[in-house]
Amino acid sequence: MKRDARSGPGLGPGSGARARTRAGARSEGLVERRSGRVLLGALGLCGAFLLVELVARSGAFDDQALPPASSVLARAAEMTADDGFLDDLWTTVSAWLAGLALAVALAVPAGLLLGSLPRLRAAALAVVELARPIPSVALIPLAILVFVEPDRVERSLVCYAALWPILLNTLYGLRDVDPVAKETLRSFGFGPLSVVWRVSLPSAGPFVLTGVRVAASVGLIVAVSAELRAGGDGGLGVYLLDSQSGGGRPDLMVAGACWAGVLGVAANAGLVGLGRVLFPHSARSARSAPRPQRAGRGPHDGLDGAGAGR
């Protein structure tokens, strides 16, 4: 009696059901791990809230120096109905996102160009290493002279600070592109631009997105710092300055700072979700990869500060 042509290792009766069972088990395990991380994060937030509340209520600090966490949380909730605060928050968010988008538009093509031309990269890295350590806030007086308008000053500083993490991560992502894949495309007659578009950019995409995540947090810090130093017609930094004047409202100041933290967490979560959609193979590889051995390896081996920021 002839065997079914489709039979073989893993293709016998019930193999489809077993595969579905394994896929379901992996999905359930992934959901459980994510739920566990969310629960631990919530417990950490509750613990920090309780600790600050107990320290503030203990009398060790003046209420004007360290407001209770419950008071800060109440002020933060009230801010959602304050049109003036929402306008200031939107001013900061718009300048932050505009500067970040400009940094992506400049850094990714520059990284692809430098990563594809070794001689140009070697000539440009000296300039990059010279300009990268300059603090963005130190350029505020120069930016005021050049751009004059507060919103343009803020966007330019955010762009400058966010440029370097994205550029460096793009360069290090291109360094890990499989040379065999590039040579294969060239052997089929594809030009340099096609090789970059079809191989280099998709392969370096997860690195680029990691650079954008780092740049987003750095850019938010710079945006608020620029508003604190340069002033302007609005913004979260201007709101914090106004809360400090007239005797000071520390609960409002801390609540405003907490909203900045909420923006940072939301941006990071959004970019992580975007990475799972755009690069699902990278997320699966990260989950399935074994943990590296600690012995003989530093925490940043293979990246060389690719995620460095401002």
Side-chain angles (χ1 to χ4, degrees):
M1 183 176 180
K2 293 184 179 181
R3 298 179 59 186
D4 189 348
R6 291 175 299 176
S7 64
L11 295 179
S15 61
R18 288 196 297 270
R20 288 192 296 270
T21 301
R22 288 195 295 269
R26 286 195 296 268
S27 299
E28 291 177 1
L30 178 60
V31 171
E32 290 178 358
R33 288 195 296 271
R34 289 180 179 174
S35 301
R37 288 196 294 267
V38 171
L39 179 60
L40 290 176
L43 290 176
L45 287 175
C46 292
F49 179 90
L50 181 60
L51 179 62
V52 174
E53 183 75 14
L54 292 175
V55 172
R57 300 288 185 185
S58 66
F61 296 93
D62 186 7
D63 290 343
Q64 294 298 316
L66 182 64
S70 56
S71 176
V72 172
L73 188 61
R75 300 293 85 75
E78 292 172 359
M79 287 176 177
T80 58
D82 185 353
D83 292 337
F85 171 76
L86 293 179
D87 290 340
D88 287 332
L89 190 65
W90 173 246
T91 299
T92 299
V93 170
S94 59
W96 170 40
L97 294 181
L100 184 62
L102 183 59
V104 172
L106 294 175
V108 174
L112 291 174
L113 180 63
L114 296 178
S116 303
L117 301 175
R119 292 185 178 180
L120 182 60
R121 180 179 65 243
L125 278 182
V127 179
V128 172
E129 293 300 330
L130 177 65
R132 183 169 62 94
I134 300 176
S136 300
V137 292
L139 299 177
I140 290 178
L142 178 62
I144 293 175
L145 291 175
V146 174
F147 298 104
V148 182
E149 297 179 7
D151 55 342
R152 296 180 63 186
V153 170
E154 190 174 352
R155 287 197 298 267
S156 64
L157 293 172
V158 171
C159 176
Y160 179 84
L163 186 72
W164 310 115
I166 303 173
L167 176 61
L168 291 176
N169 273 273
T170 303
L171 289 175
Y172 284 103
L174 291 175
R175 191 178 66 177
D176 287 347
V177 175
D178 186 4
V180 176
K182 294 193 292 186
E183 291 299 330
T184 301
L185 243 65
R186 293 192 186 102
S187 66
F188 280 99
F190 288 91
L193 291 179
S194 297
V195 172
V196 169
W197 179 255
R198 295 172 181 269
V199 176
S200 299
L201 186 57
S203 179
F207 287 86
V208 175
L209 191 61
T210 299
V212 175
R213 288 174 57 192
V214 175
S217 59
V218 172
L220 180 58
I221 295 171
V222 171
V224 177
S225 301
E227 292 167 352
L228 286 169
R229 296 292 302 273
D233 298 330
L236 187 56
V238 175
Y239 180 87
L240 296 177
L241 286 175
D242 293 341
S243 301
Q244 185 181 8
S245 62
R249 288 290 304 276
D251 53 347
L252 289 178
M253 287 187 287
V254 178
C258 288
W259 273 112
V262 170
L263 289 177
V265 171
N268 184 72
L271 290 171
V272 169
L274 180 63
R276 289 176 180 152
V277 173
L278 295 179
F279 311 108
H281 61 283
S282 178
R284 287 194 298 266
S285 299
R287 289 194 299 266
S288 61
R291 292 185 178 182
Q293 296 294 328
R294 291 181 176 272
R297 292 184 62 84
H300 303 292
D301 284 357
L303 288 179
D304 276 343
R310 267 293 165 287

